[in-house]
Amino acid sequence: MKVLKTLAWIVGILLLVLIILIFAAPTQIHVERSVEINAPASIVWNNIVRFEKFNQWSTWKQMDSTAVYTISGDDGTVGAIDAWKGKKIGEGKLQHLSLDPYKSIQQKLTFISPFKSESDVFFQLSEAAGKTKVVWGFDAHYGRPQNVMALFMKGALENDFAKGLDNLKKMAEADKSGPGTPTGMNVTVREMNYPATTYAALRKTIPIKNITSYYRNNLGKIYEAATAAKLQPGVPCGLFFTWDKEKHETDMAAAIPVPEGSKLGPGFEIIKLPAAKAAYVDYYGPYDKIANAHVAIQQFIENKGKKIIPPTIEMYVTDPGKEKDSSKWLTKVIYFMK
């Protein structure tokens, strides 16, 4: 009898504590952690905004080896979704809501199982003296009695965010450093005498986030026009005349080399670039890491005390449609200098 009374008291006390927690625990939860990374925002941004890269450094994926991740939409753009399903971490998805290139990312985090909830996630980036500060934040509302669970989640989330940002720091700094690092690449800068070249092009000032779609939508048109004009087109290129970080715009051209004196129909532009001294990198790897090559060339030209002359050229030597291994894709990145 005494045992039953004792158990009743214990149960009663636990229920009382639970009731107190339900009404005392906050219904809003905010988690925020930051890190300073010795790499420019262009490299750090790419490792965050692309879910393919995010899943490599996020601690959430490391928690569950059974989890299957599916990326839908154009990775790295507004509307893209990173969905997962695993035995330990359950089912959910993370979606890009808005992107301010190199400055901020707004996301919606949705848990489907083992419980349903929605949360707001954000990243804030600020660059100074070649270093980038990253703030990773999380805001959510939990009704009662779920707010009790959220009370104990806060500490775990803070730990996950801190570990994740440390992984991001290592990845971005390795990308910046190049060969000999875990995720480095060959960014050896060389000099060349660039020959005078004529390009058939479609040129426009567009948002930086639309570069991939602009190139994809227009390259075929140029090849079709060049074929109709009985021209022999060369390796496809991107010509970048300006790069405005404040307006997040670039004056660019989707272009292909054609013989001197070539003419195309209305709407197409013929761009002639004279022979010039240039610095270049033969970059092998996926396009989402090509910022590393640009940074290396810019630093090379700056160290030589020379000036960059636009446009910058990305020459896409390897056809991804024929070579599926992105580590073998060759892009020649060229900067003119004087």
Side-chain angles (χ1 to χ4, degrees):
M1 208 60 180
K2 289 183 178 180
V3 173
L4 292 176
K5 286 183 178 179
T6 300
L7 288 174
W9 272 103
I10 292 173
V11 172
I13 291 172
L14 290 175
L15 287 173
L16 179 60
V17 170
L18 178 61
I19 292 171
I20 292 173
L21 284 175
I22 289 173
F23 287 96
T27 56
Q28 301 287 342
I29 180 174
H30 175 78
V31 173
E32 185 175 303
R33 285 293 180 268
S34 64
V35 68
E36 185 176 78
I37 300 174
N38 186 25
S42 57
I43 290 178
V44 178
W45 170 267
N46 199 55
N47 287 335
I48 299 174
V49 77
R50 294 185 65 86
F51 288 130
E52 178 186 6
K53 304 298 298 178
F54 172 81
N55 290 336
Q56 292 179 27
W57 60 261
S58 170
T59 55
W60 296 339
K61 186 171 184 178
Q62 299 170 8
M63 292 178 185
D64 191 348
S65 60
T66 70
V68 176
Y69 285 75
T70 304
I71 299 173
S72 58
D74 191 357
D75 193 11
T77 66
V78 173
I81 296 175
D82 187 21
W84 64 87
K85 191 172 185 179
K87 293 180 180 179
K88 294 181 180 179
I89 62 174
E91 184 178 359
K93 63 181 181 178
L94 184 65
Q95 182 177 21
H96 287 321
L97 298 183
S98 67
L99 306 174
D100 187 357
Y102 313 115
K103 291 184 178 180
S104 67
I105 299 172
Q106 297 291 332
Q107 301 171 321
K108 177 67 70 176
L109 174 62
T110 303
F111 287 105
I112 300 172
S113 68
F115 60 89
K116 293 183 178 180
S117 70
E118 287 190 348
S119 309
D120 296 316
V121 179
F122 66 86
F123 288 91
Q124 294 175 343
L125 289 75
S126 55
E127 181 181 346
K131 296 182 179 181
T132 304
K133 180 181 178 181
V134 178
V135 178
W136 188 10
F138 170 96
D139 289 287
H141 172 82
Y142 294 95
R144 297 183 172 89
Q146 289 88 353
N147 63 319
V148 176
M149 176 188 65
L151 182 66
F152 296 101
M153 282 177 54
K154 191 174 189 295
L157 283 172
E158 288 173 341
N159 187 50
D160 290 343
F161 277 31
K163 288 182 178 179
L165 288 175
D166 185 55
N167 293 339
L168 171 64
K169 175 181 174 68
K170 292 176 182 177
M171 176 182 285
E173 291 180 352
D175 285 348
K176 176 176 179 289
S177 299
T181 57
T183 60
M185 63 193 72
N186 187 351
V187 290
T188 303
V189 182
R190 299 180 176 89
E191 294 187 52
M192 68 182 295
N193 292 314
Y194 181 85
T197 307
T198 301
Y199 292 90
L202 286 170
R203 180 177 173 180
K204 188 177 182 181
T205 298
I206 62 170
I208 292 174
K209 65 180 181 180
N210 293 346
I211 290 175
T212 300
S213 59
Y214 182 79
Y215 187 79
R216 183 173 57 239
N217 294 337
N218 289 287
L219 183 62
K221 298 177 183 177
I222 304 171
Y223 269 102
E224 184 177 342
T227 302
K230 298 182 179 180
L231 303 176
Q232 182 61 44
V235 177
C237 298
L239 308 181
F240 299 90
F241 295 86
T242 64
W243 191 270
D244 193 327
K245 288 186 177 182
E246 294 298 323
K247 295 182 179 180
H248 311 302
E249 291 180 343
T250 176
D251 173 7
M252 70 160 291
I256 56 174
V258 293
E260 185 179 358
S262 298
K263 294 182 180 180
L264 273 72
F268 295 94
E269 185 174 345
I270 297 296
I271 299 174
K272 298 180 180 180
L273 299 182
K277 285 283 187 180
Y280 75 97
V281 164
D282 282 335
Y283 161 70
Y284 287 89
Y287 300 135
D288 62 7
K289 284 189 177 181
I290 203 167
N292 198 26
H294 286 272
V295 171
I297 299 174
Q298 291 166 9
Q299 291 177 346
F300 176 86
I301 295 175
E302 181 181 347
N303 291 339
K304 290 183 74 68
K306 295 189 176 183
K307 182 180 179 182
I308 295 172
I309 306 299
T312 296
I313 302 175
E314 289 185 0
M315 186 182 299
Y316 309 107
V317 180
T318 305
D319 182 354
K322 296 179 180 179
E323 175 56 69
K324 301 304 180 183
D325 185 353
S326 63
S327 68
K328 297 179 180 179
W329 294 353
L330 169 59
T331 304
K332 187 181 288 290
V333 183
I334 304 170
Y335 278 65
F336 300 117
M337 59 182 180
K338 73 172 184 179

